[in-house]
Amino acid sequence: MSKIVNGASLKPRSGEAPRKIVLLLHGFGSSGTDMISLAPQWQEKLQGTLFLAPHAPQRCGMMGAGYQWWGLSGFSPSALAAGAAAAAPAINAFIDRKLAQYGLTEADLALVGFSQGTMMALHVALHRSRPVAAVVGYSGMLTGAAELAHRDISKPPVLLIHGTADPVVPIAALHMAESELKRLSVAVTTHISYGVAHNVDPVGLRLGRDFVADAFKLAS
């Protein structure tokens, strides 16, 4: 199993020990350094929160400076499901280490993903034995839906945000994920960002922050 050993982070502004963790999972060819840029805009409302943005364990062959959770050799549902399943153990081990390090539980953890990172956030959250406080997925999709129907899954609240002008992951992926999650009795909320491409706009950023803040309050 590959191990996550580096990345970026933003500690609670107060300097106190973290009471919550937001795990930020980057997209294909990106890095934790890119993903941590979301955190300063969330920090004020999420007091006492540690933001962790690890680099995926694999270097991205197509984009030398970036990382990948798995190599995108195929885009079929089975290939995407296999890729997410292969990458999940490294993220789960990282989560387990950090929760133990700070004496926290899944109720103190939110997963936030972008693109391939959204695939990982959903996969990891749904397969963990205890539900995390929240999942926010930007510009991504749900993998392995057929297999999930036959498992006893965790059901954290999920917010999916997607741009209508996304040329990388079509907006249809949001509708498919929403349908599948509802079928699995997962509480899912969606927001469509009109005219937005494969990125996070200010409205989506604010909605994600508020969703996580509200979920932490409910889980406390």
Side-chain angles (χ1 to χ4, degrees):
M1 181 187 74
S2 299
K3 185 177 181 181
I4 293 171
V5 295
N6 54 14
S9 64
L10 183 66
K11 296 179 180 179
R13 188 177 293 170
S14 63
E16 64 187 351
R19 300 193 304 271
K20 306 290 182 185
I21 295 175
V22 170
L23 180 61
L24 300 160
L25 302 176
H26 65 76
F28 181 82
S30 185
S31 69
T33 306
D34 290 336
M35 198 68 181
I36 200 66
S37 64
L38 276 64
Q41 300 172 75
W42 288 23
Q43 192 177 39
E44 185 173 347
K45 189 158 187 177
L46 293 168
Q47 298 289 326
T49 298
L50 170 65
F51 294 88
L52 298 172
H55 302 328
Q58 299 179 16
R59 280 285 184 177
C60 183
M62 296 171 59
M63 304 166 77
Y67 298 83
Q68 62 187 22
W69 298 106
W70 77 90
L72 290 173
S73 56
F75 293 91
S76 68
S78 60
L80 293 175
I91 296 175
N92 278 310
F94 182 79
I95 289 172
D96 291 342
R97 290 201 311 272
K98 293 303 176 180
L99 292 181
Q101 179 180 349
Y102 295 107
L104 301 174
T105 70
E106 279 85 351
D108 305 309
L109 171 69
L111 304 186
V112 179
F114 177 79
S115 196
Q116 193 183 48
T118 291
M119 300 182 213
M120 292 314 310
L122 288 168
H123 179 95
V124 167
L126 295 173
H127 285 82
R128 284 187 71 86
S129 58
R130 292 187 291 183
V132 301
V135 178
V136 178
Y138 294 102
S139 305
M141 62 176 63
L142 175 67
T143 64
E147 179 256 350
L148 289 171
H150 306 289
R151 290 181 61 96
D152 182 18
I153 63 169
S154 286
K155 298 177 181 179
V158 173
L159 171 63
L160 300 176
I161 298 174
H162 213 119
T164 59
D166 192 330
V168 179
V169 181
I171 185 67
L174 176 143
H175 301 302
M176 293 174 63
E178 179 184 20
S179 176
E180 293 291 349
L181 290 170
K182 285 182 175 178
R183 186 173 59 83
L184 294 165
S185 299
V186 174
V188 57
T189 304
T190 62
H191 174 76
I192 296 173
S193 299
Y194 289 93
V196 174
H198 195 61
N199 53 45
V200 181
D201 71 336
V203 174
L205 193 61
R206 174 178 55 78
L207 290 173
R209 177 202 65 192
D210 293 349
F211 188 82
V212 169
D214 290 344
F216 278 155
K217 290 176 183 175
L218 288 172
S220 298

